[in-house]
């Protein structure tokens, strides 16, 4: 295979009608490592919106069962990507996502913002650190993929284009990023989880590396000290250099999905999609508080 063969295949597809196929190629064949890092960062950014960070802290899923929450979130999203929206496994994953979200009083504005992070953050990461920039086909397909996911989740008024997703993300963060003590606990727990994947003596270094990859609005929101300019430049240059080295490698021949990531620790003997995620108990940790019928069928496209 030639290095740009997958991209040539992408360009022969329709970015709207074939959005799932294009996004699957991009995530699992072209940029599996980059998408893992970028989607981690996308979810992490949402903690800096106090209404989101506080809710996550009060559920205790990201502070007391951080690895499980990381695993379940990755695997549920991964299932939809691998199997599609119409397949039984994909529908089961979406049903589980909806069942969890419906248990809490999450505003439509927050839901749209979270969706926008999945669209915008990976594009910005890959254009900065990936072995090539995303093509226009991939950008359009990513927006269309998450528009479809958002419709299945019942989110109203979803942005129509990448540019609309990007404008939403930037304006929402400018208006809502801010300090919250409970959100900071969620952030600290997430940073500790990422450090736990490596030998313990490396934890302080890994924390510095992670902070060096965060932008100033995130650092300010969590009241983290800004790493020194030299450390920030070194870390970002190292990640950029990785992309240049990947460019020299032959293209991936078989897809790599998130379920194959070594960071997924909680299911050494396998898992059932229907068992993933949480099952909130009424009256505990703010659940449920959403004033609508949670037994209603899943929204569909």
């Amino acid at each position: 295979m030639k290095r740009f063969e997958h991209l040539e295949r992408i360009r022969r597809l329709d970015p709207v009608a074939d959005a799932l196929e294009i996004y699957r190629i991009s995530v699992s064949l072209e940029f599996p490592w980059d998408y893992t890092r970028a989607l981690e960062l996308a979810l992490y950014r949402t903690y800096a919106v106090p209404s989101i960070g506080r809710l996550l802290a009060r559920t205790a899923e990201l502070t007391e069962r951080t690895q499980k929450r990381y695993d379940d979130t990755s695997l549920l999203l991964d299932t939809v990507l691998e199997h599609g929206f119409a397949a039984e496994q994909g529908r089961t994953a979406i049903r589980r996502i909806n069942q969890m979200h419906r248990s809490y009083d999450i505003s439509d504005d927050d839901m749209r913002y979270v969706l926008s992070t999945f669209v915008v953050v990976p594009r910005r990461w890959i254009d900065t650190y990936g072995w090539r920039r995303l093509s226009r086909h991939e950008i359009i397909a990513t927006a269309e993929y998450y528009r479809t996911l958002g419709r299945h989740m019942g989110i109203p008024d979803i942005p129509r284009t990448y540019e609309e997703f990007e404008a939403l993300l930037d304006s929402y963060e400018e208006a809502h990023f801010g300090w919250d003590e409970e959100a900071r606990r969620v952030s600290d727990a997430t940073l500790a989880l990422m450090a736990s994947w490596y030998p313990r003596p490396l934890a302080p270094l890994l924390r510095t590396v992670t902070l060096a990859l965060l932008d100033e609005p995130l650092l300010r929101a969590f009241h983290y000290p800004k790493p020194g300019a030299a450390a920030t430049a070194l870390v970002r240059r190292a990640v950029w250099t990785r992309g240049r080295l990947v460019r020299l490698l032959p293209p991936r021949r078989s897809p790599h999905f998130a379920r194959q990531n070594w960071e997924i620790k909680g299911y050494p003997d396998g898992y059932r999609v229907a068992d993933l995620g949480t099952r909130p108990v009424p009256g505990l940790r703010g659940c449920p508080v959403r004033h609508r019928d949670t037994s209603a069928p899943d929204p569909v496209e």
Side-chain angles (χ1 to χ4, degrees):
M1 291 182 67
K2 298 178 181 178
R3 190 67 182 97
F4 289 89
E5 191 165 327
H6 293 312
L7 179 59
E8 292 170 2
R9 177 184 169 195
I10 285 170
R11 286 175 170 159
R12 291 193 294 270
L13 297 170
D14 185 284
V16 175
D18 301 315
L20 171 61
E21 184 176 358
I22 291 173
Y23 186 62
R24 187 185 287 138
I25 294 170
S26 188
V27 173
S28 66
L29 288 168
E30 293 285 75
F31 305 102
W33 185 87
D34 292 284
Y35 265 102
T36 295
R37 303 285 82 80
L39 290 173
E40 287 170 352
L41 179 58
L43 287 169
Y44 180 82
R45 293 191 77 81
T46 68
Y47 309 165
V49 175
S51 58
I52 298 174
R54 279 196 302 269
L55 176 60
L56 292 171
R58 290 168 185 174
T59 67
E61 294 300 323
L62 272 166
T63 53
E64 296 179 12
R65 292 173 289 277
T66 317
Q67 182 69 61
K68 184 180 188 308
R69 176 59 187 262
Y70 175 90
D71 292 351
D72 289 359
T73 300
S74 298
L75 293 173
L76 286 168
L77 293 172
D78 183 64
T79 299
V80 181
L81 170 68
E82 183 172 3
H83 299 283
F85 299 101
E88 180 59 31
Q89 286 173 287
R91 291 175 63 85
T92 299
I94 293 170
R95 188 177 303 114
R96 284 270 56 236
I97 292 169
N98 287 338
Q99 287 168 346
M100 290 184 288
H101 286 152
R102 290 174 185 171
S103 296
Y104 300 97
D105 191 13
I106 306 172
S107 72
D108 291 331
D109 287 342
D110 279 353
M111 293 288 282
R112 275 189 295 272
Y113 165 66
V114 174
L115 196 67
S116 76
T117 67
F118 297 158
V119 176
V120 178
V121 174
R123 192 266 176 102
R124 291 178 173 176
W125 174 280
I126 290 169
D127 281 2
T128 303
Y129 300 118
W131 67 270
R132 65 168 173 83
R133 296 169 67 88
L134 286 183
S135 68
R136 187 62 189 170
H137 266 49
E138 288 168 302
I139 294 167
I140 295 171
T142 299
E144 186 62 27
Y145 176 87
Y146 282 106
R147 276 177 52 78
T148 303
L149 179 60
R151 290 194 292 269
H152 278 280
M153 295 174 64
I155 302 173
D157 303 321
I158 300 171
R160 293 168 297 174
T161 65
Y162 173 84
E163 288 73 22
E164 289 183 7
F165 274 111
E166 187 171 47
L168 185 155
L169 180 139
D170 289 336
S171 63
Y172 206 74
E173 291 185 349
E174 183 177 1
H176 295 282
F177 265 17
W179 164 256
D180 183 88
E181 185 175 355
E182 291 179 282
R184 168 64 186 256
R185 288 198 295 110
V186 176
S187 174
D188 287 341
T190 301
L191 295 181
L193 170 68
M194 293 176 178
S196 75
W197 297 332
Y198 302 90
R200 187 183 297 272
L202 295 178
L205 174 62
L206 291 168
R207 183 182 176 90
T208 299
V209 167
T210 303
L211 294 180
L213 291 170
L214 303 184
D215 54 58
E216 289 195 28
L218 268 177
L219 294 171
R220 286 198 305 270
F222 292 127
H223 288 188
Y224 287 134
K226 183 179 179 180
T232 298
L234 178 63
V235 169
R236 296 184 179 186
R237 185 70 178 181
V239 181
W240 180 88
T241 299
R242 176 201 169 274
R244 306 286 74 72
L245 295 175
V246 171
R247 187 184 181 93
L248 302 176
L249 299 176
R252 182 178 292 276
R253 292 179 177 272
S254 58
H256 180 96
F257 293 100
R259 59 178 170 77
Q260 299 166 290
N261 290 346
W262 69 275
E263 296 94 343
I264 303 293
K265 305 287 189 182
Y267 300 98
D269 301 318
Y271 59 91
R272 292 177 65 250
V273 176
D275 295 334
L276 296 174
T278 62
R279 284 170 172 76
V281 178
L284 293 180
R285 293 172 174 151
C287 165
V289 294
R290 194 167 181 84
H291 305 298
R292 75 178 185 185
D293 181 8
T294 59
S295 66
D298 296 331
V300 293
E301 187 177 351

